[in-house]
Amino acid sequence: GEEDSDLADAMRECVARVDGEARELLMSRYGEGRSMAEICASTGKKHSTVTMKLHRLRLALAECVAGKLAQAK
C-alpha cells in the first residue's frame, strides 16, 4: 500500500545519503549478499569492526527513515 511505498522511498533516500566506505560496506552486505567472512577478508578488518560498523549504519538508516516518515505525515 501507500505506507509501503513511503517506507521504500524513505529507505532509498536515506541509503542514497550514505557514501564512501560505509556505502561499500552496506552494498557488499545487503546489496550483494556477501558474508561477514567475505567482507572481513576483502577489507582486512576484524569481524567485530565490521559488525559494529553495520550496526551503526542500520541505526543511522532507521533514524533517517523514521524522520522522513514523520515528515510525510
Side-chain angles (χ1 to χ4, degrees):
E2 189 174 323
E3 283 185 19
D4 289 342
S5 177
D6 289 346
L7 176 61
D9 289 345
M11 183 59 104
R12 271 191 292 277
E13 287 177 33
C14 292
V15 168
R17 294 168 61 180
V18 177
D19 58 12
E21 184 182 319
R23 184 171 188 83
E24 285 180 35
L25 180 58
L26 203 59
M27 291 301 121
S28 290
R29 182 71 175 131
Y30 301 110
E32 301 165 14
R34 294 175 66 198
S35 70
M36 293 297 285
E38 289 174 315
I39 294 169
C40 293
S42 68
T43 62
K45 298 197 183 316
K46 291 188 212 170
H47 186 273
S48 58
T49 301
V50 174
T51 301
M52 183 53 72
K53 286 179 184 261
L54 283 168
H55 174 71
R56 289 180 180 148
L57 272 168
R58 286 191 303 270
L59 288 177
L61 286 172
E63 190 174 305
C64 177
V65 168
K68 292 203 172 290
L69 292 176
Q71 288 175 359
K73 289 184 179 182

